[in-house]
Amino acid sequence: MNKAQNLLEVLEDLTWENYVDIADAVTKFDKHEIDNELTRQASVYSYYQGLLSICKKTLDDANLKLTTFIAETGKEKKQRSYPQKLTAKDIDNFVESTPDFKEYSKEINEASFKYTLLKGLVGALEQKKDMLVQLSSNRRAETNLYR
């Protein structure tokens, strides 16, 4: 299995229960290997940024499905109610009370949840980079003190 497939599995399995373990794993570093950590940082960051992009696309697709469902269902309800006039609120109430609306909303909630979790991981990786840069700078400054 390649890295891309492994990352997609991480995304699929991402829950609050394993979020902390993943966050700990991606932000962990060896203070004696700062140069190597800095070298790997860009790749790790790009992997998780890619996952964030996939999550954003999933969220956008789920929002589009819900929007389309609302428009189509509202239009059908309005056409079926002729000659009786329904208010916009009546149509909204009908649409929002359907089981499909609930399912599409759950899909959006799940996609949004994963998106924000990944956004947190990407933010943590940004902080890790800043910390590694600072530690590297501190180490160079200490080395210059003893020259």
Side-chain angles (χ1 to χ4, degrees):
M1 186 176 298
N2 65 29
K3 286 182 187 180
Q5 290 170 322
N6 284 339
L7 285 168
L8 288 174
E9 280 186 16
V10 167
L11 178 60
E12 184 68 30
D13 297 337
L14 183 61
T15 63
W16 177 246
E17 287 74 27
N18 63 14
Y19 175 78
V20 173
D21 292 334
I22 294 169
D24 285 345
V26 299
T27 58
K28 185 174 121 181
F29 72 98
D30 181 349
K31 68 180 180 178
H32 302 293
E33 294 291 327
I34 292 175
D35 292 337
N36 289 335
E37 295 285 346
L38 279 167
T39 303
R40 286 191 299 268
Q41 179 65 17
S43 292
V44 174
Y45 180 88
S46 68
Y47 300 153
Y48 282 88
Q49 183 62 44
L51 287 178
L52 182 64
S53 296
I54 291 170
C55 274
K56 177 68 169 125
K57 181 183 179 315
T58 301
L59 177 58
D60 290 345
D61 290 347
N63 276 314
L64 179 60
K65 280 198 276 188
L66 179 61
T67 301
T68 303
F69 171 77
I70 290 169
E72 290 173 352
T73 306
K75 182 179 176 183
E76 288 171 15
K77 179 67 173 171
K78 188 174 182 179
Q79 288 173 345
R80 280 186 273 146
S81 70
Y82 185 80
Q84 178 188 1
K85 286 258 187 183
L86 294 177
T87 66
K89 184 68 177 160
D90 291 333
I91 294 171
D92 288 346
N93 287 341
F94 172 78
V95 171
E96 291 171 5
S97 66
T98 64
D100 287 342
F101 181 87
K102 184 177 180 180
E103 286 305 310
Y104 287 129
S105 294
K106 282 182 178 180
E107 193 177 318
I108 288 171
N109 290 343
E110 183 63 24
S112 179
F113 177 69
K114 284 191 178 190
Y115 176 75
T116 55
L117 287 179
L118 270 167
K119 199 169 180 179
L121 289 173
V122 169
L125 286 166
E126 290 170 358
Q127 289 182 344
K128 178 182 177 182
K129 183 243 339 158
D130 293 343
M131 180 195 59
L132 289 170
V133 167
Q134 187 61 50
L135 288 172
S136 177
S137 176
N138 291 353
R139 189 185 65 206
R140 284 192 310 275
E142 287 175 9
T143 301
N144 288 336
L145 284 175
Y146 299 112
R147 284 188 176 176

